[in-house]
Amino acid sequence: MRGAGAGIGIISNPASGHNRDHFPALRRELDRCPGALHRVTESPADVPAVLREFADAGVGLLVINGGDGTASNILGQLLEQGPFVRQPLVTLLPAGTANMNAGDVGVRGSLRRAVGRFRRWAEDPSRPAERLVRHLIRVTLDDEATPYYGMFLGAGAVVHGTEYAHREIHARGLRDDFSLFLGTLRTAWGVVRGEEAFTAPTRLGLSLDGRAAGAADTLILAVSTLDRLAFGMRPFWGSGAGPLRVTLIEQHAPRFLPTFLSIIAGRPSRRARAGEHYHSHNARNVELALAGELNLDGELLTVAQRARLAASPPLVFLRP
């Protein structure tokens, strides 16, 4: 069953990574979904009017055909503007360059296969579909009034690796988990070799739910509301309440490579769990004191002094 509302509303970003290659064919496929309103947006400024149209039409399932940045921007506007009396269910199609968020809560498979699977479900909603509850990270920078939204935020080597990936991997047409795997592998190798391009630390002060958690020269910071990151990474082991999962690795952390491998495999070693140089926490609100860049769902944000992170209200993702 579709759940809330009676209809399907689809938003496509034709400029997203995989859409750029095959959008005319994908558009025809999505247009065939029975009872669906399909709108193609050219910029984030087009989204508010589309969301209002969907709300007025009684849409109960919002389908986003775009990348991580597109999805987070649309969902952020959905949360900030509140056009729906009752929030719709959400389905993500893996149309971006990396698709980390869709890998956790979106329709599985290549974009073509995911679109076909979704269309078959739309024709027969009695087909099985998972419902997954996730939050977004609401990010405010310094004195800016307009928030940003995402499901993964990183600093330190995460930013350095992102810059490398944009320059050396995505520019060559490589995408999805494979591109993330190459970027992560190259970043880890650069850290092990002590290459300055990957190891330049970020001085960062951390507060969790209003309590100071210390300051450190940070090698890697990762914050997410996802259960799994790219290619199955589960680098969080903190306990306690809160949908924001935070892992911080300090500069010059001992035995980095074996410990890092145990962390991304979801089985942190005793050294990581000991809490010296390796830290993991759960929280509802996180404050970062830093001057530098953050990676939010693949986009780089510049911070002058402070970034505040808060968990959004939950959204329900439908995965046919």
Side-chain angles (χ1 to χ4, degrees), residues 72 76 80 136-142 144-154 223 244 286-288 290 294-297 299 301-303 306-312:
S72 292
E80 286 291 312
L136 270 71
I137 309 170
R138 185 180 190 270
V139 182
T140 53
L141 305 180
D142 301 312
E144 294 182 21
T146 303
Y148 301 86
Y149 280 84
M151 299 182 82
F152 174 84
L153 179 142
V223 184
L244 300 184
V286 175
E287 187 169 303
L288 307 175
L290 78 156
L294 298 173
N295 171 329
L296 183 64
D297 280 356
E299 303 297 325
L301 308 177
T302 300
V303 187
R306 197 168 305 275
R308 295 175 177 86
L309 286 52
S312 78

Side-chain angles (χ1 to χ4, degrees), residues 74-270:
I74 292 171
L75 295 177
Q77 296 199 51
L78 176 74
L79 291 163
E80 286 291 312
Q81 297 167 12
F84 288 81
V85 175
R86 181 181 178 185
Q87 294 289 29
L89 303 174
V90 179
T91 290
L92 301 184
L93 297 173
T97 299
N99 300 305
M100 187 189 301
N101 299 347
D104 183 50
V105 295
V107 184
R108 292 193 174 102
S110 67
L111 179 57
R112 282 180 174 273
R113 290 182 179 179
V115 168
R117 180 176 297 146
F118 173 76
R119 186 180 59 78
R120 290 190 294 273
W121 177 86
E123 292 171 350
D124 179 12
S126 66
R127 288 171 175 262
E130 295 180 82
R131 294 193 182 203
L132 305 163
V133 178
R134 297 288 187 274
H135 301 253
L136 270 71
I137 309 170
R138 185 180 190 270
V139 182
T140 53
L141 305 180
D142 301 312
D143 296 325
E144 294 182 21
T146 303
Y148 301 86
Y149 280 84
M151 299 182 82
F152 174 84
L153 179 142
V158 175
V159 170
H160 306 324
T162 301
E163 293 170 335
Y164 173 85
H166 287 335
R167 185 176 65 251
E168 302 292 343
I169 298 176
H170 300 156
R172 301 174 189 268
L174 298 174
R175 300 170 182 158
D176 298 319
D177 274 5
F178 183 62
S179 69
L180 286 168
F181 174 76
L182 288 178
T184 302
L185 188 66
R186 180 63 182 91
T187 301
W189 181 239
V191 171
V192 170
R193 288 167 52 88
E195 297 178 33
E196 186 176 354
F198 295 98
T199 60
T202 298
R203 186 65 184 176
L204 188 149
L206 180 66
S207 296
L208 305 168
D209 292 329
R211 294 175 301 192
D217 287 333
T218 301
L219 180 64
I220 296 173
L221 172 74
V223 184
S224 187
T225 55
L226 300 171
D227 273 1
R228 64 182 290 277
L229 305 185
F231 49 93
M233 290 193 299
R234 299 177 186 270
F236 307 105
W237 67 95
S239 59
L244 300 184
R245 300 175 178 184
V246 183
T247 287
L248 186 150
I249 301 176
E250 295 181 27
Q251 181 79 344
H252 305 306
R255 293 183 56 80
F256 169 77
L257 185 58
T259 307
F260 178 72
L261 292 175
S262 76
I263 287 171
I264 65 173
R267 297 185 295 273
S269 66
R270 284 181 293 179

Side-chain angles (χ1 to χ4, degrees), residues 44-89:
D46 298 336
V47 172
V50 174
L51 291 177
R52 288 194 297 270
E53 178 190 4
F54 286 177
D56 292 342
V59 162
L61 174 62
L62 173 63
V63 180
I64 301 174
N65 175 32
D68 290 342
T70 296
S72 292
N73 178 271
I74 292 171
L75 295 177
Q77 296 199 51
L78 176 74
L79 291 163
E80 286 291 312
Q81 297 167 12
F84 288 81
V85 175
R86 181 181 178 185
Q87 294 289 29
L89 303 174

